[in-house]
Amino acid sequence: MESTIVKSIDYNAYFGDNHVVKNVNIEITRNTVTAVMGPSGCGKTTFLRGINRMHELIPGATAKGKIMLNGEDVMEMHPIFVRLKIGMVFQRPNPFPNLSIYDNVIAGYKLNGIKLPKAEKDKIVELSLSRVALWNEVKDSLTKKGSFLSGGQQQRLCIARAVAMEPEVLLFDEPTSALDPISTSTVEELFHELKKNYTLIIVTHNMQQAARVSDKTAFFYVGELVEFDDTKQMFTNPTDIRTQNYITGRFS
Amino acid sequence: MTQLENELQALKVELISMWNLVESQLKKSRNALVNFDRDLAREVVLKERRVNAFELKLDRDCEDIFALYCPVAIDLRFLLAVLKINTNLERIGDYAEGISKYIIETESNFNQSVLHASNMVTMFDDAIKILADTRLAFENENTTLARSIFKRDEALDIINTNAMRNVSECIREDISVLSDSLYVLSIIRKLERVGDQSKNIAEEIIFYIEAKVLKHDEQVQSKK
Amino acid sequence: MQAQSNVKFRIGKSTGFQALTVGLAFACVVPLIFILIYIIQAGITKINWHFITNLPKPVGEAGGGVANALLGSMIIIGCASVIAIPFGILCGIYLSENKTSKLAYWSRLCVDILQGVPSIVIGIVAYFWLVKPLGGFSALSGSAALAIMMLPIIIRSTEETLLMLPDSLREAAYALGMPFHRVILKVIIPCGISGILSGVMLSVARIAGETAPLLFTAFGNPYLSGNVLKPMQSLPLLIFNYATSPYNDWHDLAWGASCILLIFVLLLNIFTKLITRKWKVQL
């Protein structure tokens, strides 16, 4: 069942007078992994943060255009609702250092003041941690602080925290750039599992990662969406010469 | 299992089913030859398209895996081997088709004395067996079995050399078998090529498992 | 040879410099140790239950304590904390969350200036703004003056603690759909609590010994009093008054009071260190 879940229409983002994302039109299919790649400063992270309205938290940042989530424009919705439906995982693992592993997973409920019965909380914690393949590693130390885990485990904890809110879309902003190679491949394996239940959009500097994990790839260059196609197509026969130059490393 | 492992496994399965197809093509052309069954021969010619489609599919899959996963070490050697095995198998498929075309072209069954003198049916069976064993070596990553192919290819070569002499004798006795003899010799030449291709495949298998290059190294091959 | 002697000379210079830093660091500690020893020697013998629970006696009578000053100090410091802590922490949060706004720039400047204002000047200001309009000395006006002195310390330490928290923490909270007030209350403050508390403790320790602003405001009172709208005694005032008096009995009282004040400040500092270590959130 193929269907569009996120669709941007003439999306533009600015930092003050600096036009960083220019007229991006993209359609993202449900239950796929979309990789967004491009050189530094090409606006890919800004675009990603625009999808769940995190962009505008930065002073001086503004955006124009539409981003449709299931046909509803997120620019018209309250950011808090948007962020409940579109989860985000960041570059550096950032579990809440004052909370236990258990509380970190249900942080979205606990810190938002949503009261749940204990049994339901237990269920959410176990399900979320299982989905990120962390349950077996931490089930005996749920009361320990999140910062006791290794970097890769912390990042999976952060993914579990986003997953616990049952969002429709998960955004990843260079999720493995602070991790070692082994943790990186664990997280990459996770993407294949996660896409069964969620739609994933991943910003990455690492072309190989984009190639390995994604179904579709978008290539951004100086704020423009240059090419958006199946990953296989993109890496064997890109249409745009700029994409070809970028993925072959002939970029000046 | 990582995504790359999954892809490689799928590729292996794909290549083996191509292999099975090529084997059955070869068997069918053998049966068509022995029973002078033109319909079976036509079926082989028709099915050659499927072999070609397999080749294209495997090439495409290899290209995607190279592009997306940047394989290294044994994965890289496996892919390179698959690419070459793929070409070799397709060629064997072509030989099966070629043999079947001869059967369709000839008016009557081949002269039995020529067939007998050339020892062709034995050679055909050997060639099929060699191809099947090469496949087993690939499936089970068995390099000992792969190495045994070299010796058995030589046996085919000997049959080929002998057939030349024996068939020319047949012709000397009875000139009417000339055109049949030419067909038979062509078929034998093709079967000999099947043996060579199998040997190449065996070399690729050893290359991918042991990272040893045996190609053009007569000494090593004859020793084994 | 030339090169070798040169190296030797340089090694010697390096050793000398190291010795100098060690020596000077030690020299800093020496006065503190002497002060501590001297005050404790002079004061510790005066301190007993009687000293803590009784009012000062008139000159010539034996005994007498500092109960009024002790209670007064507690009340004045307590009131000052109640006034200063919420303002200080909220202001610190504002400064750390709005690094670039105009208002933040000016308030940061004002806080820095406030930190540099002499305490006696703050006392005078409090005298003219509170004591005079209210028609008399009162503990509350003293608390207000002390609160003004606490503010910059609390604000700056809160701000600096919160600035040290990584932005990723805020983003994590916002990305979960948390509104601003919850991000502050549930994430930012709990993570920075040790730094904020140590700032508060230090500011209390800092004002515990202030005398100058109290001279014009709380004024002093020889009797036990709990009314914050009336003059009230406090330890630093008592020390100032008694130490400058010509009576030996009163000198003894002053020594004892100094000792109590010193122990209070020391305990507060040690407590701060403990809290910082215990509640420190590992980032």
Side-chain angles (χ1 to χ4, degrees):
Chain A
M1 192 186 75
E2 290 236 326
S3 61
T4 301
I5 182 162
V6 174
K7 182 177 179 184
S8 77
I9 303 167
D10 293 330
Y11 185 78
N12 286 276
Y14 310 81
F15 285 122
D17 297 331
N18 199 356
H19 196 175
V20 283
V21 176
K22 298 168 191 162
N23 273 327
V24 170
N25 287 288
I26 198 168
E27 266 191 51
I28 287 157
T29 313
R30 192 180 293 277
N31 295 103
T32 57
V33 180
T34 303
V36 180
M37 63 175 192
S40 297
C42 66
K44 55 191 190 304
T45 296
T46 309
F47 174 68
L48 190 80
R49 293 168 62 94
I51 298 177
N52 71 343
R53 307 270 307 266
M54 292 285 284
H55 169 64
E56 59 212 71
L57 286 178
I58 299 164
T62 49
K64 270 198 306 208
K66 288 181 177 182
I67 289 187
M68 313 299 281
L69 173 70
N70 289 324
E72 217 179 327
D73 189 358
V74 301
M75 306 293 276
E76 308 281 322
M77 290 158 72
H78 194 280
I80 286 173
F81 292 118
V82 177
R83 290 173 203 150
L84 288 176
K85 288 187 180 177
I86 306 179
M88 189 162 195
V89 175
F90 298 86
Q91 190 166 355
R92 299 199 143 270
N94 54 358
F96 296 119
N98 54 327
L99 299 182
S100 66
I101 293 174
Y102 185 97
D103 285 343
N104 255 296
V105 178
I106 50 161
Y109 298 95
K110 188 185 161 85
L111 301 185
N112 270 321
I114 304 169
K115 295 270 184 296
L116 291 174
K118 177 93 171 76
E120 191 162 341
K121 282 197 283 191
D122 290 348
K123 214 176 74 189
I124 292 174
V125 169
E126 180 170 355
L127 181 72
S128 310
L129 286 175
S130 306
R131 286 212 167 138
V132 299
L134 196 60
W135 175 248
N136 286 328
E137 291 164 53
V138 303
K139 66 179 171 204
D140 299 322
S141 46
L142 288 174
T143 51
K144 280 196 185 164
K145 294 267 185 283
S147 34
F148 276 96
L149 299 173
S150 74
Q153 288 175 322
Q154 285 190 21
Q155 189 64 304
R156 278 183 283 154
L157 179 62
C158 293
I159 300 173
R161 180 175 66 195
V163 163
M165 300 303 288
E166 287 297 331
E168 303 199 35
V169 181
L170 281 172
L171 308 177
F172 293 84
D173 185 6
E174 294 171 37
T176 61
S177 60
L179 304 183
D180 64 280
I182 302 291
S183 306
T184 299
S185 61
T186 321
V187 171
E188 285 179 4
E189 288 308 308
L190 210 54
F191 294 148
H192 291 283
E193 287 302 310
L194 286 174
K195 77 172 175 185
K196 291 172 190 160
N197 296 299
Y198 310 98
T199 306
L200 278 63
I201 306 176
I202 300 166
V203 161
T204 176
H205 272 309
N206 182 337
M207 270 181 285
Q208 287 322 313
Q209 182 170 61
R212 279 192 301 266
V213 303
S214 68
D215 303 302
K216 291 212 166 197
T217 301
F219 174 58
F220 274 69
Y221 185 58
V222 280
E224 280 175 64
L225 176 62
V226 172
E227 194 168 344
F228 178 54
D229 209 335
D230 284 344
T231 303
K232 282 183 182 173
Q233 179 70 22
M234 201 78 154
F235 278 89
T236 51
N237 184 17
T239 320
D240 197 289
I241 187 71
R242 284 171 293 178
T243 318
Q244 168 127 335
N245 287 343
Y246 180 68
I247 61 178
T248 52
R250 297 197 182 90
F251 228 74
S252 46
Chain B
M1 204 138 71
T2 67
Q3 196 63 16
L4 175 59
E5 282 175 291
N6 286 332
E7 297 275 349
L8 292 180
Q9 189 56 39
L11 192 68
K12 188 169 179 178
V13 170
E14 186 94 5
L15 186 68
I16 287 169
S17 47
M18 176 183 183
W19 214 315
N20 285 323
L21 176 67
V22 170
E23 254 179 73
S24 88
Q25 288 282 85
L26 213 52
K27 275 181 199 151
K28 278 177 185 161
S29 53
R30 176 213 175 261
N31 290 342
L33 180 89
V34 172
N35 307 325
F36 195 61
D37 185 344
R38 279 196 169 124
D39 288 339
L40 195 58
R42 283 196 193 93
E43 190 192 320
V44 172
V45 174
L46 274 178
K47 276 209 174 155
E48 165 63 13
R49 277 195 221 142
R50 282 193 50 201
V51 178
N52 292 342
F54 256 120
E55 189 202 11
L56 291 177
K57 171 87 170 51
L58 278 162
D59 272 352
R60 178 81 203 161
D61 286 352
C62 286
E63 188 189 350
D64 285 344
I65 295 175
F66 276 124
L68 300 187
Y69 297 99
C70 294
V72 291
I74 190 164
D75 297 340
L76 175 62
R77 295 200 306 274
F78 175 78
L79 274 177
L80 290 172
V82 167
L83 270 180
K84 291 183 186 170
I85 293 173
N86 184 26
T87 315
N88 284 320
L89 282 180
E90 196 274 334
R91 193 65 54 79
I92 295 176
D94 284 348
Y95 297 146
E97 186 206 16
I99 293 170
S100 300
K101 274 187 175 156
Y102 291 151
I103 298 167
I104 298 169
E105 279 167 24
T106 53
E107 276 116 44
S108 61
N109 196 354
F110 294 115
N111 184 299
Q112 288 303 313
S113 63
V114 178
L115 278 183
H116 189 72
S118 62
N119 213 2
M120 183 169 74
V121 179
T122 324
M123 190 181 184
F124 222 136
D125 289 338
D126 282 356
I128 292 170
K129 194 81 192 21
I130 288 175
L131 185 62
D133 283 347
T134 320
R135 191 198 70 223
L136 283 179
F138 176 75
E139 268 188 78
N140 306 326
E141 305 191 346
N142 183 342
T143 49
T144 326
L145 188 57
R147 283 200 163 84
S148 75
I149 304 297
F150 301 144
K151 211 65 216 166
R152 292 160 66 185
D153 172 51
E154 277 168 29
L156 284 192
D157 289 348
I158 291 166
I159 296 181
N160 177 37
T161 330
N162 293 343
M164 196 76 140
R165 204 176 49 238
N166 297 344
V167 169
S168 52
E169 232 149 70
C170 283
I171 298 173
R172 221 168 281 144
E173 282 167 18
D174 179 3
I175 192 67
S176 70
V177 299
L178 181 63
S179 72
D180 276 3
S181 302
L182 288 177
Y183 274 126
V184 165
L185 279 182
S186 301
I187 291 173
I188 290 213
R189 198 69 29 89
K190 283 186 193 300
L191 290 176
E192 191 268 327
R193 292 296 302 150
V194 170
D196 287 351
Q197 304 282 3
S198 299
K199 194 181 95 181
N200 288 346
I201 293 175
E203 282 167 3
E204 291 306 328
I205 293 170
I206 291 166
F207 163 72
Y208 119 67
I209 298 169
E210 295 181 354
K212 283 183 191 149
V213 179
L214 302 183
K215 240 186 271 185
H216 313 305
D217 193 345
E218 304 296 336
Q219 253 188 334
V220 176
Q221 288 179 17
S222 53
K223 241 193 287 176
K224 301 286 155 166
Chain C
M1 283 313 282
Q2 178 63 37
Q4 208 169 17
S5 71
N6 203 1
V7 168
K8 267 187 189 156
F9 175 65
R10 271 155 48 190
I11 290 173
K13 223 163 50 167
S14 164
T15 319
F17 194 76
Q18 274 182 343
L20 189 66
T21 52
V22 171
L24 288 180
F26 187 68
C28 290
V29 185
V30 171
L32 177 70
I33 292 174
F34 274 117
I35 290 171
L36 282 179
I37 292 174
Y38 189 69
I39 291 182
I40 289 174
Q41 261 182 351
I44 201 81
T45 51
K46 313 291 182 301
I47 299 174
N48 49 38
W49 189 243
H50 181 81
F51 182 78
I52 292 174
T53 51
N54 275 59
L55 289 178
K57 295 270 167 59
V59 187
E61 280 184 49
V66 292
N68 58 340
L70 207 55
L71 183 73
S73 266
M74 297 282 177
I75 292 174
I76 291 174
I77 291 171
C79 287
S81 304
V82 168
I83 300 170
I85 290 172
F87 275 103
I89 292 180
L90 288 175
C91 184
I93 289 170
Y94 175 81
L95 291 185
S96 73
E97 291 293 312
N98 302 275
K99 287 164 213 145
T100 48
S101 76
K102 271 251 158 61
L103 181 59
Y105 174 78
W106 287 109
S107 28
R108 202 171 289 129
L109 197 69
C110 292
V111 168
D112 283 346
I113 294 170
L114 194 59
Q115 195 155 26
V117 174
S119 57
I120 187 95
V121 176
I122 291 174
I124 290 178
V125 169
Y127 177 76
F128 279 105
W129 283 5
L130 287 170
V131 176
K132 280 208 136 179
L134 289 178
F137 297 112
S138 67
L140 201 60
S141 52
S143 296
L146 291 183
I148 293 175
M149 299 201 57
M150 283 174 83
L151 269 179
I153 304 172
I154 298 180
I155 292 173
R156 287 320 290 247
S157 73
T158 305
E159 186 198 355
E160 268 151 34
T161 310
L162 298 190
L163 278 181
M164 300 235 291
L165 296 177
D167 272 343
S168 64
L169 208 62
R170 288 178 189 89
E171 293 196 321
Y174 282 122
L176 288 172
M178 287 164 69
F180 179 74
H181 70 278
R182 285 196 169 272
V183 175
I184 298 298
L185 292 177
K186 299 282 179 176
V187 178
I188 299 299
I189 290 186
C191 288
I193 192 72
S194 75
I196 295 174
L197 277 185
S198 74
V200 169
M201 296 286 213
L202 285 178
S203 70
V204 170
R206 166 94 165 74
I207 59 154
E210 271 306 332
T211 322
L214 296 179
L215 285 172
F216 305 94
T217 50
F219 190 68
N221 185 343
Y223 305 106
L224 199 61
S225 161
N227 188 346
V228 292
L229 296 175
K230 288 278 182 296
M232 199 181 270
Q233 188 62 294
S234 78
L235 281 173
L237 276 179
L238 180 135
I239 297 167
F240 175 75
N241 287 333
Y242 286 15
T244 49
S245 75
Y247 313 110
N248 271 333
D249 289 353
W250 283 14
H251 287 173
D252 284 348
L253 278 181
W255 278 122
S258 307
C259 191
I260 289 179
L261 197 58
L262 189 76
I263 290 169
F264 176 70
V265 172
L266 269 180
L267 282 180
L268 215 53
N269 272 303
I270 292 168
F271 203 50
T272 308
K273 286 264 184 268
L274 285 180
I275 278 191
T276 323
R277 204 165 302 165
K278 177 113 181 17
W279 291 12
K280 176 94 184 147
V281 173
Q282 199 72 43
L283 287 175

